[in-house]
Amino acid sequence: HMPRMDGYQATRILRQLNYDVPILAVTARAMPSDRDRCARAGCDDYIAKPLDLDHFAERVRLHIQHPERAKKLRMG
């Protein structure tokens, strides 16, 4: 939990400021509606906890090394 705003609000603000670096949501919320909420906020990907470090590294690598491919797979 963040002290002044949640991750959804922070992501929306970053996107309004034209922040175009990939944002990956890491959350304990694992329902399909949570994934949709992350996508609507502007997240590029969604990773549910408990965190699998290999999967996390794979997703980060995809967004860094192959941004066009990652966009095609983007949530939402």
Side-chain angles (χ1 to χ4, degrees), residues 20-49:
D20 64 354
V21 174
I23 297 174
L24 284 70
V26 178
T27 180
R29 299 173 184 253
M31 301 299 294
S33 61
D34 298 313
R35 182 182 185 93
D36 294 341
R37 186 174 179 195
C38 290
R40 285 192 311 272
C43 294
D44 295 287
D45 211 334
Y46 170 93
I47 301 165
K49 293 178 184 178

Side-chain angles (χ1 to χ4, degrees), residues 1-22:
H1 295 274
M2 296 169 43
R4 295 200 173 109
M5 68 180 76
D6 62 24
Y8 306 110
Q9 185 179 8
T11 300
R12 282 190 292 274
I13 290 169
L14 288 168
R15 294 306 188 205
Q16 289 171 355
L17 296 171
N18 296 316
Y19 183 82
D20 64 354
V21 174

